[in-house]
Amino acid sequence: MHEPTTAAVPAYVADGPEIYRRSFAIIRDEADLSHLPDDAHDLVVRMIHSCGMVDLAADTEISPGAVAAAHSALAGGAPILCDAMMVASGITRRFLPAGNDVVCTLNDPDVPAKAALLNTTRTAAALDLWMPLLEGAVVAIGNAPTALFRLLELIEAGAPRPAVVLGLPVGFVGAMESKAALAAYGSLEHVVVHGRRGGSAMTVGAVNALALGAQQ
Amino acid sequence: MHEPTTAAVPAYVADGPEIYRRSFAIIRDEADLSHLPDDAHDLVVRMIHSCGMVDLAADTEISPGAVAAAHSALAGGAPILCDAMMVASGITRRFLPAGNDVVCTLNDPDVPAKAALLNTTRTAAALDLWMPLLEGAVVAIGNAPTALFRLLELIEAGAPRPAVVLGLPVGFVGAMESKAALAAYGSLEHVVVHGRRGGSAMTVGAVNALALGAQQ
């Protein structure tokens, strides 16, 4: 405990590992994870940790094979394909079990022209550059519903299939619908938070949890 | 509207500016911003947009001069000091009104030794490297409660004063207490989300909103 030097700043825990331990204990005490696969609990605890909301678990849907598929893909060196630079930036590189590549194609110079041609967002157009990497990859979509819709369209059209899709776009227009479409798709291993919640921090928490799990 | 090519993917809005327009309209329709300063509404709309939760407004506290102070500081070229790389990564550089520097000192090679010496987290120790930049800066804390506690300790000890502090750490141990301490501090312009919610995506949404406001 860091002791106060003045009345304006209270005593606080300043030991990083102890903060993690206490946080995870609070989450496991308060969150109801019983409807989720047993091997997904560590994952959901870190997703909750990223957003401060234990009721996130109630909106979370994880396909039964998703966590094992992600661990196996990551241990085997699969790349992590991210829709947003913030997602790519947040992934803790030392957690990755095989020096996995973390890829975000959003700022590729070809993307604006491709978005205009396809009449879609830059984030969705950036996915076309994933094609050579998509087979067996870990896909982490934490920002744009259009990216998740585009992924499903590409797979419908015969694109290679990723090992698992983290479908966690956030927001008010299309986010809920894109996540429902992924969960209903049927043949893709997936991690979804239904509704409006999601985002890059939660997606990073999920990738980091899966990477740590793959190291074990 | 992007029309479906197969039954597996529904029609969706694929026009980026239109997605923003509709999202902000939904937020303004659903969120109660009446307790917040008038000039803070655009800011809170973008914070809500970043997390998908209109009830965030109820936990948000913004000091009456915070938004004007942030606009003035940013227009005058003040640096933006971030506690986490994800926050620094997410800030949209083209929104910045004066090519403002975005600074995160967390990965400075001196930080681990400083954290050990101070018996605190790396994130808190990294703040000591802000000292030459802190006067009149925009401080954006989106991850670590210990960073916010450390900032208040440094200011109590006579450090230069920032123009405004975005106090938005997330989590279960210390986050709520650190934000309450900032709001109670009295003489610092602040933006706070009370409770456990917060995080890097919300903090980026706040900085981006303030940068856009400063351009006007």
Side-chain angles (χ1 to χ4, degrees), chain B residues 149-178:
Chain B
F149 282 127
R150 179 81 186 143
L151 176 72
L152 296 176
E153 288 174 346
L154 290 167
I155 289 170
E156 275 289 282
R161 300 172 72 85
V164 62
V165 180
L166 311 183
L168 300 167
V170 61
F172 298 86
V173 176
M176 184 170 67
E177 295 81 357
S178 70

Side-chain angles (χ1 to χ4, degrees), chain A residues 148-193:
Chain A
L148 185 47
F149 282 127
R150 179 82 186 142
L151 177 72
L152 296 177
E153 288 174 347
L154 290 167
I155 289 171
E156 275 290 282
R161 300 172 72 85
V164 62
V165 180
L166 311 183
L168 300 167
V170 61
F172 297 87
V173 175
M176 185 170 65
E177 295 82 356
S178 70
K179 293 181 285 191
L182 170 61
Y185 192 75
S187 62
L188 283 171
E189 298 289 359
H190 60 272
V191 175
V192 154
V193 171

